[in-house]
Amino acid sequence: MASAPIIPDSYNHVLAEFECLDPLLSALRLDSSRLKCTCIAVSKRWLALGSSGGGLNLIQKDGWKQRLFLAHKEGAISRVACCLHDEDYVAVATSQGLVVVWELNQERRGKPERIYVSSEHKGRKVTALCWDTAALRVFVGDHVGKVSAIKINTSKHGKAAATFVMFPVQIITTVDSRVVQLDYLDGRLLISSLTRTYLCDTERQKFWKIGNKERDGEFGACFFPVGKNSGNQQPLIYCARPGSRMWEVNFDGEVQSTHQFKQLLSSPPLPVVTLRLDPHYTSSSCSPQSLSFPKLLYLTEHCVMTWTERGIYIFLPQSVQVLLWSEIKDIQDIAVYKSELFCLHTNGKVVHLSLLLVDRCIERLIRRGFWTLAARVCCLFQNSIISCRARKNLPLDKLEHLKSQLDASTQQDLIMQLEELISKLEPLDSACSSRRSSISSHESFSVLDSGIYRVISRRGSQSDEDSCSLHSQTFSEDERLKEFPAHQEDEQVELDNVSHASVTVEADRNETFLPFSIPLSFRSPSPLVSLQAVKESVSSFVRKTTEKIGTLHISPDTRGRQEAKDDEQLQELTVNLVASPQEEKELEPQSCQLPEEDHLRDLKAATAEAIAKLQDPLVLLEPQSMRRALQEWLIYLEEKLGSKEHSASSIKKSKTVCAEEERAVLEENLRLDATDGDPADKEQSCILEDCTEKENADETCVSKTMCENSTDSKGPLDCCFQVSPPCVIEPDVQKDLVELTTLCFELRVFSCGNGEAEESSDGSLPLAASWTLACRFMRSYFFLLDLKRLKQCIITMYATSPNVWETYIAGLKELTCHSPVTLAMENEDMLKILKQLHDLGPWDDSPILLVHAQRLYEKFGETALRPLIKFHPSILPTDIKQLCRNDPAHFLAYLDSLVKSKPEDKRSCLLRSLLQPESVRLDWLCLAVSHDAPQRANTVDVEGNPRPRSHLFTWGYNQLILLLIKLPADFVTKEKMADICKSHGFWPGYLILCLELDRRIEAFTNIAHLDDLSLLNGEDGSIPETIEEWKFLLHLAQNHSTAFHHHGPENGNTVSNGSPSCPDCITVENVALLLAKAIGPNRALPLLQECGLTLELSERFTDVCEILRIAEKRQRALIQSMLERCDRFLWSQQA
């Protein structure tokens, strides 16, 4: 067999295509001869595809769903650009030269709308579009060299300042030839034309030509941002030059050096990893390539990418190296985002490529089940895989498993090449070699950090790590994303990392994966048999392992510090560190933990079976079927990991206590219901009797972790928590156990001690029994619950059951009882504790920080809440609301401080992000208007109308209330908010909501009751807009004046209608003056005569009207004079 060429070890990156976008184009009907894709753009969220029919398709990259279609009647789409810093905006250029800016309104869940159409380049071909990196500004370049900027002003970012004339389009410059490429960074605009490159400072309006030598043709240029660790170093600029060269330019436009890549491009092209073709590599060198780079694009860190008609080229310009080049022909355009490339071909086809390390590429192929392609890539990149870094990501067991999946009859050559590669990866020390040689030819093993031996079958099986992925043949991408949030495939999977992540479900190709160590016919009867042969050779290693296990029981201070670092690390530590002395004695004599594996074998098999059932769409989409599958699995979990240390008498005693507690809770619940006269009392009484009969018949219904000897017990919730497993569990096994256990809690599938599972969500149990079972379940399996998901579930599903939250907090306290923060809580002051928490960060969203906040609040009260705003978003307002649910005023103080900690222009965005779920908006509004507020009797009269001037009262949370009111919401929510404001007498907010709900008549009525003319202003739209509204307001003012004089003055000061003593009161004369200012005195007088109100007007009204007429004439004359001057100036410029 002739040896296949091997790629040199200097190449460790590759371009790979993992998914084909042809079905997407077919669904969008962009694969026909009549309609095809003409341009492409990409951002973090969107893939934008412009079509020859004038349509723009926006596809959400996550799952390739949520398509938006934006139609254009101005011609085919020629260019498209997505705003990277605000993905709610997209700019589109059409074949007629028009530039359309769209606001997608995704945050408001509204329809996309055109917010600006620029005709500055009409009749020309737009060749480049580029967004500002900070502001809402689009730069446009066309084929004659004209460059303009479009400034976008939207209500989302505040109203633009009022000016006499607004010029949203600004002409930047006109260069000498067609604009090839635009790029923008930190206030500098880079313009590349056919002859040279220009640098423009858009803030100071300065221009520089880069270099002295011109060029002729399409040559790109781009900014090169510096890394995060580069200190104060300024960004660089790279400009393409003829002959495969690049200029390196500093940020001031000065050429620093010229880089030559011609000779470096004589190396052969690297293959593209794709499912369409097998990768091939030719080791023979080609001639040096003298190329012209039409565009330069910044790709990830340290890389610059370009393309020609021959292929794609990726450079490391700072070190003057070619990272790779691959032969891909007929490329029209490429859009990049980080390491993703979307290539648009001349025939309209789109290809999605990823730039990644070779070992990551192979690992992803193995996960997806593309065994043959993964093996071929391994053989091609042998030199890279042998390197230390690749061996870390591709250990021996993965390569062994890959080899076992190949067909021995048809892929013998590939298997031999893999065996040759594996032989080069053999350990060099003799001890490891002897251990490996004594293993069965069909099995291998690895040693975890805890000292556990993991036996892996090489034939017809898979490794435990692959089994964690839970491959499925029946799940489509959308179905899988609905239930299980999949991991990002490019993240490294560590063998010994126990996390609370969701189960990853991926599709394979006709391979059935069997998770865990399910006995098969060709396997050894027991792992003990396989390991017995190597007992003598590994005896010394076992002693070291035993010592290592002993060192895992480190000091409480160290353990607490690690707990505070990360939630995933927390779960791993609690498995190994929080062991009782009895467990330590059991662990020491065990060399390989084989008895524990035998003990959990049935549980592993049941877990694998349960996960396989949950992969079935018929089960996954049917909640009752999911519950049944989880109920069957819970029997094994309770049998293997439930507490078995109680004697028969203590079990009976605990059972009696449990029954009495449950009965007391149910009876209390029935008494509460009876006070409300609920007709369901009879039904609940029957339920109580049924539960009592069941308790009498069941002698083993006990809590798994109940402390029978507890003397300070306060109730059913003050029981011990199982915060550590009763035995050592392998990380990959625990990962699946955590997923299923958490799923049980989320679906309310709980269990009693006799192994018969109960579900409390079908209505057969009252709420009190439901939360009782939930608390017991948490105490029994706290070590198997994903603490983040558990917290979210409790907040959403058990909001009315505070006992469940208290149990969750109690479990976290038990988990962190030896944390250094907990120990310092007794002696240190609050500032030192807060500093210690800050130093232990970053916390992300770890629940451990939440329990420390709970301890701070319990000790220091409200003063401890305000400093917690610096830990946002690790601690959310919903968490604080749970902490101080008995004193809502403390929560309001925290929320108000959190909002005010941000600049005014960012407070609305912050508050909107905190309203999750949306229903908390009404709860927070009710709290804000009912605390630190004036008495209702001072703002609302006996008839429910506003008292005069009551809107001027001071409200403690006025800013917070107004922010909640002004945030976008649906019509029903706005109506409920209006009712809340009216019932509490918060009239400023009520008037705002009335105008938003188009209840203008009601708004004017309340303004008349408030008796404040300043409320009738045009800024918020409260001034009348129609003649009918003016008539209605005039009659309100007349009736208000009559009622005022009839009842007499409240303060003893008589005022005449229209007197200067009340310039801001709602009187007929004041409203008439406002009418004259709004529509003019000549139109106001006939309207007043029609209403019969002229007799109530004084001489002051006549004088003001005369002044208004004079002012109107002068204003007209001034405008005419200004227009004439502008006209003369424009004619002089043309001359």
Side-chain angles (χ1 to χ4, degrees), residues 101 380 421 555 607 817:
V101 181
L380 281 176
L421 171 61
S555 64
T607 303
C817 60

Side-chain angles (χ1 to χ4, degrees), residues 29 144 168 245-246 435 596 637 645 704 795 831 1114:
R29 298 181 180 178
V144 300
R245 291 179 298 162
M246 286 187 199
R435 288 197 298 271
E596 297 297 348
L637 177 68
E645 59 187 14
K704 288 297 177 182
I795 292 176
L831 295 179
R1114 291 187 177 183

Side-chain angles (χ1 to χ4, degrees), residues 646-844:
H646 297 314
S647 62
S649 60
S650 61
I651 290 177
K652 185 174 182 180
K653 178 180 176 181
S654 300
K655 176 262 172 188
T656 304
V657 175
C658 174
E660 291 177 355
E661 290 169 350
E662 287 190 3
R663 183 175 181 85
V665 170
L666 291 175
E667 289 177 348
E668 179 66 21
N669 185 50
L670 291 176
R671 285 196 297 271
L672 293 175
D673 292 340
T675 59
D676 298 332
D678 192 348
D681 289 344
K682 186 175 181 180
E683 179 183 354
Q684 292 190 354
S685 301
C686 297
I687 294 173
L688 177 59
E689 294 176 0
D690 293 341
C691 293
T692 305
E693 294 175 1
K694 185 173 181 180
E695 292 165 357
N696 295 333
D698 182 9
E699 293 296 331
T700 59
C701 180
V702 293
S703 175
K704 288 297 177 182
T705 55
M706 180 174 290
C707 294
E708 59 178 352
N709 297 325
S710 178
T711 58
D712 57 345
S713 176
K714 299 178 183 179
L717 302 181
D718 296 326
C719 300
C720 296
F721 283 82
Q722 190 74 22
V723 295
S724 63
C727 60
V728 177
I729 306 175
E730 294 180 13
D732 46 3
V733 177
Q734 179 157 352
K735 180 180 178 181
D736 293 308
L737 293 178
V738 167
E739 174 63 32
L740 291 179
T741 308
T742 308
L743 195 59
C744 286
F745 190 90
E746 292 172 340
L747 294 178
R748 298 186 180 183
V749 178
F750 306 123
S751 173
C752 276
N754 60 353
E756 296 180 1
E758 301 177 0
E759 57 175 295
S760 61
S761 61
D762 56 358
S764 61
L765 286 178
L767 180 61
S770 174
W771 67 253
T772 302
L773 292 174
C775 295
R776 182 186 305 158
F777 189 85
M778 272 194 291
R779 295 193 300 269
S780 300
Y781 303 109
F782 200 77
F783 66 99
L784 288 179
L785 289 170
D786 185 335
L787 299 181
K788 298 178 184 178
R789 290 170 55 189
L790 182 63
K791 182 189 76 171
Q792 190 62 31
C793 178
I794 293 173
I795 292 176
T796 55
M797 299 176 61
Y798 293 95
T800 59
S801 302
N803 304 78
V804 182
W805 177 264
E806 292 175 0
T807 305
Y808 174 69
I809 294 296
L812 292 176
K813 288 183 177 180
E814 178 70 20
L815 197 62
T816 59
C817 60
H818 298 293
S819 167
V821 179
T822 305
L823 299 177
M825 200 77 68
E826 301 177 359
N827 304 321
E828 303 291 345
D829 59 10
M830 185 176 68
L831 295 179
K832 292 183 178 180
I833 297 172
L834 290 171
K835 183 179 183 302
Q836 189 175 11
L837 287 174
H838 183 270
D839 295 340
L840 289 173
W843 291 93
D844 297 331

Side-chain angles (χ1 to χ4, degrees), residues 520-652:
L520 299 178
S521 58
F522 53 80
R523 287 190 176 182
S524 302
S526 169
L528 183 60
V529 177
S530 300
L531 293 176
Q532 190 65 30
V534 296
K535 182 176 181 181
E536 297 298 329
S537 62
V538 299
S539 58
S540 61
F541 181 80
V542 169
R543 286 195 298 271
K544 296 179 181 179
T545 304
T546 305
E547 295 174 1
K548 188 173 183 179
I549 293 177
T551 60
L552 288 176
H553 304 283
I554 57 180
S555 64
D557 293 345
T558 306
R559 181 187 67 178
R561 191 176 299 110
Q562 291 294 330
E563 287 172 341
K565 284 295 181 182
D566 189 83
D567 190 45
E568 295 182 355
Q569 297 177 2
L570 158 72
Q571 189 66 14
E572 180 179 358
L573 287 174
T574 53
V575 170
N576 299 291
L577 303 182
V578 196
S580 62
Q582 292 79 2
E583 292 173 341
E584 293 183 10
K585 294 178 181 179
E586 293 173 1
L587 288 174
E588 290 179 358
Q590 294 176 356
S591 60
C592 301
Q593 302 295 338
L594 294 176
E596 297 297 348
E597 291 188 2
D598 294 337
H599 173 67
L600 298 180
R601 177 173 302 185
D602 294 341
L603 178 59
K604 292 179 182 179
T607 303
E609 183 181 357
I611 292 175
K613 288 182 179 179
L614 292 178
Q615 294 176 9
D616 186 357
L618 298 179
V619 177
L620 185 65
L621 301 178
E622 179 58 42
Q624 293 299 331
S625 300
M626 291 183 65
R627 292 191 181 96
R628 284 194 293 269
L630 292 173
Q631 286 171 355
E632 296 172 0
W633 172 78
L634 263 180
I635 298 175
Y636 294 91
L637 177 68
E638 190 170 320
E639 178 184 354
K640 299 301 179 182
L641 296 182
S643 176
K644 301 292 183 65
E645 59 187 14
H646 297 314
S647 62
S649 60
S650 61
I651 290 177
K652 185 174 182 180

Side-chain angles (χ1 to χ4, degrees), residues 867-1080:
L868 292 178
I869 62 176
K870 66 181 180 180
F871 293 102
H872 179 269
S874 299
I875 295 183
L876 297 173
T878 51
D879 301 330
I880 300 298
K881 192 173 187 299
Q882 290 288 338
L883 297 186
C884 49
R885 59 185 177 277
N886 296 327
D887 199 339
H890 294 175
F891 163 72
L892 278 175
Y894 166 83
L895 182 61
D896 190 56
S897 300
L898 177 62
V899 173
K900 289 180 179 179
S901 66
K902 301 295 182 182
E904 290 189 6
D905 57 337
K906 296 182 179 179
R907 291 177 183 176
S908 297
C909 296
L910 171 65
L911 190 59
R912 186 171 184 177
S913 66
L914 299 178
L915 295 177
Q916 299 295 335
E918 186 70 20
S919 58
V920 302
R921 182 202 300 258
L922 298 178
D923 299 335
W924 293 2
L925 181 61
C926 289
L927 289 175
V929 297
S930 57
H931 287 80
D932 198 6
Q935 295 292 329
R936 187 177 185 277
N938 295 332
T939 58
V940 183
D941 60 17
V942 293
E943 298 178 357
N945 297 319
R947 290 190 179 275
R949 305 300 174 113
S950 60
H951 64 289
L952 300 178
F953 278 109
T954 301
W955 295 70
Y957 298 103
N958 180 73
Q959 294 185 18
L960 180 62
I961 298 172
L962 292 178
L963 284 174
L964 288 171
I965 288 174
K966 293 179 180 179
L967 286 178
D970 58 85
F971 186 82
V972 177
T973 303
K974 289 286 186 180
E975 284 188 326
K976 293 179 179 178
M977 294 170 68
D979 294 339
I980 293 173
C981 292
K982 183 177 182 180
S983 62
H984 289 82
F986 185 72
W987 303 117
Y990 182 68
L991 294 177
I992 293 174
L993 291 169
C994 283
L995 294 175
E996 290 185 4
L997 296 172
D998 202 22
R999 289 151 54 171
R1000 301 179 60 83
I1001 299 300
E1002 189 173 350
F1004 294 143
T1005 303
N1006 284 274
I1007 290 175
H1009 284 289
L1010 291 171
D1011 196 22
D1012 189 352
L1013 192 68
S1014 63
L1015 296 175
L1016 294 171
N1017 58 76
E1019 295 181 0
D1020 54 4
S1022 57
I1023 193 169
E1025 297 178 351
T1026 62
I1027 299 299
E1028 287 73 16
E1029 289 182 355
W1030 280 110
K1031 290 180 179 179
F1032 178 77
L1033 185 59
L1034 287 169
H1035 287 299
L1036 283 176
Q1038 185 180 22
N1039 297 334
H1040 174 71
S1041 300
T1042 303
F1044 181 83
H1045 290 293
H1046 176 73
H1047 293 291
E1050 296 183 0
N1051 298 323
N1053 297 325
T1054 59
V1055 293
S1056 61
N1057 183 35
S1059 171
S1061 59
C1062 55
D1064 57 348
C1065 296
I1066 301 294
T1067 62
V1068 173
E1069 183 166 313
N1070 288 339
V1071 175
L1073 288 173
L1074 190 64
L1075 172 64
K1077 294 177 183 178
I1079 66 176

